Amino acid sequence: MDLRVISYFIDIVDSGGFAKASEKIHITQPALSKAIIGLEHELDLTLIERGKRGTQLKLTSAGEVVYRHGIELLAGRHRMLNELASQRDLTSGELRLGLAPLGSAELFAPVIAKFKDSYPKIEMNLFVRGGVEQTLALQKGEIELATGIISFDKEFDGIRIHEDPMVVVLPKNHPLAHEASLQLCQISDIAQIMFEHDFALYGQVFEACEKAGFTPKNITRVSHPDFGIALVAAGAGTMVLPKLIAERHSVSGVVHVPLKSSELYWELSLYWQKGKQLSFAAQAMLNMVKERFGTHKQSAET
């Protein structure tokens, strides 16, 4: 159903006839009459009782229904356009952003603060989730953008934000603490402090250890890097972490030894479902991230 024709119909009723409506909206009477006849054919109903020329316009019962609902339809269209204009101007709307537990505070807090300052009327909802949960939340539409470790594929696209080397966090008194660098195989016999399974970094480190010829043993799982590093300081094992995270949560009882690995490194990305239209708020956040971290890291589509 053409809302333009509904608008013509309402103008005819409000004006009291075709002649006055024609003058008001600058459309010829034959064109108006043709439009209304087309609407009646589409509905298979008579909307206006045809009498002698000059007689007062009278609606049928069906015409009264179309008039009443037509006003609601046009009002709804007006509200929709106003809301879209507000979102386009970022004076209303919502941003649902999923944040990885690791690195988001260090890298994204300044961007989020700038976004809030630039667009104070945008409601921002932040969800801190592990990598597995982030992916599910994107698929369900619970969030629009996510941060984390990911390989872009047919389902997800995004931009690379930050790449960081890995370090081995050891107690200060450990025999390997004074090494200039370490291979993964050198910590194969040491108890490991690792993240929970839903952290992408867990799978990344575990797989790298297996490629190095061993399976991590005597694993203690944690969900926060500060607690993991505290366990290292207490002598409970060693922990492989991105340099940025290790330095951010460092304590006096540990050292960070660079890890020699061409394959194991930490690369945080901002990503979204490929082919899905982002909201105006999400696009504004994406532009702000590109501005801060550089567009040269944008991924190539696969």
Side-chain angles (χ1 to χ4, degrees), residues 19-296:
K20 290 183 178 179
S22 174
E23 294 176 3
K24 177 184 176 182
I25 59 180
H26 307 292
I27 295 177
T28 64
Q29 289 190 52
L32 276 180
S33 180
K34 183 178 179 181
I36 300 307
I37 291 172
L39 178 61
E40 290 178 320
H41 285 167
E42 180 181 354
L43 297 174
D44 195 23
L45 291 167
T46 300
L47 304 180
I48 298 174
E49 292 184 1
R50 269 70 173 182
K52 294 181 180 179
R53 184 180 295 274
T55 58
Q56 186 176 3
L57 179 141
K58 187 176 180 181
L59 295 178
T60 64
S61 59
E64 291 175 354
V65 171
V66 172
Y67 178 78
R68 185 174 72 254
H69 285 282
I71 290 175
E72 293 177 2
L73 285 171
L74 293 177
R77 176 181 180 274
H78 181 70
R79 289 193 300 271
M80 178 190 72
L81 293 176
N82 283 343
E83 187 172 339
L84 287 173
S86 295
Q87 289 192 9
R88 188 180 298 110
D89 297 335
L90 296 172
T91 56
S92 72
E94 177 189 17
L95 175 63
R96 291 170 285 116
L97 175 63
L99 297 173
L102 297 180
S104 293
E106 295 79 6
L107 297 172
F108 267 88
V111 183
I112 291 170
K114 183 178 178 181
F115 187 93
K116 292 289 290 182
D117 184 61
S118 301
Y119 310 111
K121 294 184 178 180
I122 297 294
E123 180 182 351
M124 182 178 287
N125 292 305
L126 306 177
F127 304 89
V128 180
R129 308 168 187 254
V132 175
E133 288 185 287
Q134 293 269 41
T135 300
L136 290 174
L138 276 176
Q139 291 170 336
K140 292 178 180 178
E142 295 173 354
I143 56 177
E144 284 192 273
L145 298 171
T147 68
I149 302 171
I150 189 171
S151 297
F152 300 129
D153 53 24
K154 293 181 179 180
E155 186 174 7
F156 298 110
D157 202 1
I159 56 173
R160 304 297 186 190
I161 293 170
H162 181 83
E163 184 177 309
D164 214 38
M166 305 293 277
V167 298
V168 180
V169 184
L170 291 160
K172 273 188 174 181
N173 59 359
H174 194 278
L176 297 176
H178 300 291
E179 295 289 325
S181 62
L182 289 170
Q183 301 277 2
L184 274 175
C185 60
Q186 291 179 265
I187 63 171
S188 60
D189 293 328
I190 306 173
Q192 296 289 313
I193 313 297
M194 303 185 78
F195 287 108
E196 301 285 355
H197 287 91
D198 60 344
F199 282 68
L201 187 60
Y202 162 77
Q204 195 177 14
V205 173
F206 195 94
E207 183 179 343
C209 290
E210 290 189 322
K211 285 183 178 179
F214 71 98
T215 299
K217 65 177 187 178
N218 195 9
I219 298 174
T220 301
R221 303 193 188 282
V222 297
S223 56
H224 297 283
D226 52 353
F227 185 56
I229 292 175
L231 288 174
V232 173
T238 185
M239 193 171 192
V240 177
L241 283 173
K243 181 181 177 182
L244 175 72
I245 305 303
E247 292 177 347
R248 170 72 171 78
H249 298 279
S250 187
V251 296
S252 59
V254 302
V255 295
H256 311 144
V257 182
L259 180 67
K260 277 187 177 181
S261 175
S262 60
E263 296 181 359
L264 185 56
Y265 54 90
W266 184 64
E267 190 173 54
L268 192 70
S269 299
L270 178 70
Y271 62 102
W272 55 90
Q273 279 196 294
K274 185 174 289 187
K276 187 168 185 177
Q277 182 69 42
L278 295 176
S279 68
F280 296 115
Q283 187 63 53
M285 171 58 79
L286 175 58
N287 293 339
M288 197 169 283
V289 169
K290 286 180 179 180
E291 180 182 340
R292 180 173 178 84
F293 295 103
T295 58
H296 62 283

